[in-house]
Amino acid sequence: MDIKAWDEIHGEKNREKLQNFLRSNTDSYLILQLKHTDETAQESYMNYSWLEENGITPQFSHYDAVYTDTLPLNTDPEKLYVKFNIDPPEIYKGHSMSVSDIIALKVDGVVTCFYVDDFGFKELQGFFPDDYLKNAEMVLEDDYNMIGDGIINNGRKDSGINERPSILEKLKETPGQANPEHLQKAISRSAERGLE
């Protein structure tokens, strides 16, 4: 397989993992690792203070999404770091987790990203481009007034209301508008027509 074909496949898998993470209905996590390019070579395995000293900010476009899964209860970046260095999942294809990797957590629809530093983790504000989060919100949000708040599918605005009342219920509530006997006959005729 030539390099161009490999890159096309790898890019598609990268996008699929990212979309699976953003579209997940459950709390989940995503492991991102730097791409192997000339542009990212100087950033590999560098701690966050080195990046700051050199005027470098971690860029979403420099990373590949290498693994995503459901976030186990009470799991934080530290527990994921240990897991991916001691006992990574068999299907995991990335290198052992190290400095310059990024862990994205989605908890209750809120995405938070952490840079793996030499000691601990540095939270990254605005690491995901707005268009990725907005697209995920557009696909999953129940209440379109909530698009752009950074929370993916934060539930219906009218969550206390289960359903809108049916037309039949509204007619029954309206006094003098419909004779219940005629209404019942109309419902029976409609049901019979639906079976023909």
Side-chain angles (χ1 to χ4, degrees):
M1 175 183 294
D2 67 357
I3 291 173
K4 184 177 179 183
W6 187 88
D7 283 344
E8 288 173 5
I9 292 169
H10 185 65
E12 188 174 313
K13 287 181 182 177
N14 182 45
R15 187 170 40 257
E16 182 180 317
K17 287 178 184 134
L18 179 61
Q19 288 173 346
N20 288 343
F21 169 70
L22 291 173
R23 291 179 178 164
S24 172
N25 292 327
T26 61
D27 292 350
S28 54
Y29 67 93
L30 177 71
I31 306 296
L32 298 118
Q33 295 181 332
L34 279 168
K35 296 176 181 177
H36 297 288
T37 66
D38 292 338
E39 187 178 20
T40 63
Q42 66 177 354
E43 299 171 44
S44 291
Y45 308 108
M46 294 304 197
N47 64 28
Y48 198 80
S49 37
W50 183 90
L51 294 179
E52 287 181 317
E53 290 168 8
N54 289 280
I56 298 171
T57 302
Q59 299 293 313
F60 178 79
S61 61
H62 291 185
Y63 283 82
D64 280 329
V66 295
Y67 188 80
T68 187
D69 201 356
T70 301
L71 185 66
L73 193 62
N74 299 320
T75 298
D76 59 16
E78 183 67 36
K79 289 178 182 171
L80 290 172
Y81 180 84
V82 170
K83 173 184 175 127
F84 282 86
N85 279 293
I86 295 176
D87 188 25
E90 287 185 31
I91 59 171
Y92 175 66
K93 301 298 182 204
H95 58 73
S96 62
M97 195 174 292
S98 56
V99 174
S100 76
D101 291 349
I102 292 177
I103 300 170
L105 303 179
K106 186 172 77 166
V107 178
D108 294 330
V110 178
V111 177
T112 310
C113 298
F114 298 91
Y115 186 87
V116 179
D117 214 344
D118 47 4
F119 295 104
F121 305 88
K122 170 72 175 165
E123 184 173 340
L124 300 175
Q125 299 292 326
F127 177 72
F128 274 96
D130 288 338
D131 57 336
Y132 276 94
L133 292 174
K134 185 176 179 183
N135 287 342
E137 283 188 274
M138 301 244 337
V139 168
L140 298 170
E141 194 66 67
D142 291 346
D143 181 0
Y144 287 104
N145 292 330
M146 300 306 288
I147 290 176
D149 65 355
I151 300 172
I152 300 171
N153 194 15
N154 46 353
R156 294 181 55 88
K157 186 175 180 180
D158 58 350
S159 59
I161 300 171
N162 293 338
E163 291 182 32
R164 294 185 346 195
S166 71
I167 302 273
L168 176 61
E169 292 301 318
K170 285 184 178 181
L171 287 172
K172 284 181 180 177
E173 292 173 2
T174 310
Q177 292 291 332
N179 180 333
E181 188 177 314
H182 287 101
L183 187 57
Q184 192 60 38
K185 288 180 184 176
I187 293 169
S188 297
R189 283 194 301 261
S190 291
E192 288 171 9
R193 283 189 200 124
L195 296 174
E196 292 174 358

